[in-house]
């Protein structure tokens, strides 16, 4: 049984939006595993907190892969959901991720553009250097943020939001993310996690029209602590 959502997990909440610090291993929406998804847990949290016996509305605005941790945003009203969907679609959300890799990226910063094709059966995405049938253009900016204990920390700002995008695009640099054996790291993690953390979301609030910055603290697993000083 997965752990329920508590006040401790909430990064931001108002009448329109709620943001949660997702644990690696949680799924965002129901899948074939049958495990309880994060959206259901957040619905239960809202229903209990505000005494809503008939349940609460919750809209999924974006997703994070199961082994990824960090900030994930949900909408508490259909109006907020529509407007947030529009912000994501028109790329008015700034997303900041951090990835830990074993190999130093060459060059140390730059833009990556690929055309990605997802194999739904195998749940794996392939990157192509040019457009191919069924592909989606994918772009991100990255920079080397520093080195600690023989590992490298990369800051990533994805411009598009494609399935497995950061994971597959960094692997094309010969920088597979630590623990991500699906995309070339030699071994997987026992904790069903990879060293990719959604650190920050920045946007203009769709209802209040004011700037919002939501930041997710790092997982307390003993590994991420080594890199905290490189992020500020």
């Amino acid at each position: 049984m997965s752990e329920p959502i508590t006040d401790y997990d909430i990064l931001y909440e108002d009448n329109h939006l709620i943001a949660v610090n997702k644990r690696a291993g949680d799924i965002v929406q129901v899948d074939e595993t049958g495990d309880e998804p994060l959206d259901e847990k957040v619905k239960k949290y809202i229903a209990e907190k505000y005494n809503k016996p008939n349940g609460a509305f919750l809209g999924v605005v974006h997703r994070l892969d199961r082994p990824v941790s960090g900030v994930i945003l949900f909408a508490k009203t259909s109006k907020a959901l529509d407007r947030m969907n529009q912000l994501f679609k028109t790329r008015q959300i700034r997303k900041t991720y951090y990835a830990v890799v074993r190999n130093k990226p060459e060059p140390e910063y730059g833009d990556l553009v690929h055309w990605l094709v997802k194999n739904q059966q195998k749940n794996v995405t392939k990157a192509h250097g040019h457009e191919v049938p069924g592909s989606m253009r994918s772009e991100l900016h990255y920079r080397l943020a520093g080195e600690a204990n023989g590992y490298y920390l990369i800051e990533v700002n994805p411009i598009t939001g494609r399935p497995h995008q950061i994971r597959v695009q960094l692997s094309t640099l010969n920088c597979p993310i630590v623990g991500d054996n699906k995309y070339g790291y030699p071994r997987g993690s026992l904790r069903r996690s990879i060293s990719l953390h959604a650190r920050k979301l920045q946007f203009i609030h769709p209802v209040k029209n004011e700037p919002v910055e939501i930041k997710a603290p790092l997982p307390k697993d003993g590994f991420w602590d080594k890199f905290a000083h490189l992020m500020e």
Side-chain angles (χ1 to χ4, degrees):
M1 179 68 188
S2 57
E3 297 171 50
I5 292 296
T6 66
D7 291 348
Y8 178 77
D9 301 299
I10 306 302
L11 301 172
Y12 176 91
E13 186 183 6
D14 61 21
N15 293 336
H16 315 280
L17 304 170
I18 184 167
V20 175
N21 191 8
K22 175 188 171 305
R23 306 176 191 112
D26 271 354
I27 48 167
V28 174
Q29 283 181 295
V30 72
D31 69 0
E32 67 284 347
T33 61
D35 295 341
E36 185 181 25
L38 190 57
D39 64 343
E40 286 301 324
K41 293 197 226 182
V42 177
K43 269 187 203 174
K44 282 182 187 170
Y45 168 85
I46 294 170
E48 277 178 31
K49 182 174 177 179
Y50 300 104
N51 191 19
K52 294 180 178 235
N54 300 323
F57 174 89
L58 193 76
V60 176
V61 176
H62 65 128
R63 291 163 187 76
L64 292 177
D65 295 347
R66 185 164 197 165
V68 177
S69 60
V71 56
I72 184 156
L73 187 65
F74 297 97
K76 291 168 69 176
T77 65
S78 53
K79 178 166 94 169
L81 177 62
D82 288 345
R83 292 185 181 181
M84 285 309 303
N85 281 340
Q86 197 54 30
L87 289 185
F88 271 91
K89 198 171 163 186
T90 52
R91 298 178 190 161
Q92 293 181 66
I93 308 264
R94 182 173 168 81
K95 298 169 276 188
T96 304
Y97 287 73
Y98 282 95
V100 180
V101 300
R102 219 38 231 252
N103 303 332
K104 187 178 182 179
E106 298 289 351
E108 291 185 5
Y109 62 90
D111 295 292
L112 297 179
V113 177
H114 293 93
W115 280 261
L116 304 188
V117 178
K118 185 166 186 197
N119 180 326
Q120 297 292 352
Q121 282 70 41
K122 295 182 177 168
N123 191 29
V124 68
T125 296
K126 190 166 185 214
H128 298 267
H130 53 88
E131 193 168 359
V132 299
S135 62
M136 297 177 93
R137 187 180 184 280
S138 304
E139 184 180 351
L140 62 77
H141 178 77
Y142 75 91
R143 70 172 185 90
L144 177 64
E147 188 239 346
N149 294 67
Y151 292 91
Y152 295 93
L153 183 73
I154 301 179
E155 181 182 294
V156 182
N157 299 112
I159 313 300
T160 51
R162 311 295 187 207
H164 299 190
Q165 175 181 337
I166 297 173
R167 300 164 66 183
V168 68
Q169 286 197 277
L170 287 186
S171 75
T172 68
L173 273 182
N174 193 29
C175 292
I177 294 168
V178 170
D180 196 3
N181 57 348
K182 184 172 273 195
Y183 292 105
Y185 196 74
R187 60 191 179 279
S189 153
L190 298 173
R191 281 194 289 262
R192 285 205 301 190
S193 66
I194 61 174
S195 297
L196 179 60
H197 182 69
R199 178 69 161 164
K200 234 185 326 189
L201 279 182
Q202 293 159 288
F203 56 94
I204 300 297
H205 195 289
V207 182
K208 299 175 178 174
N209 209 25
E210 58 193 29
V212 178
E213 178 178 294
I214 305 170
K215 200 167 169 184
L218 294 171
K220 297 256 182 287
D221 61 2
F223 182 69
W224 275 104
D225 305 343
K226 302 178 177 69
F227 305 97
H229 68 288
L230 298 172
M231 293 188 196
E232 300 315 328

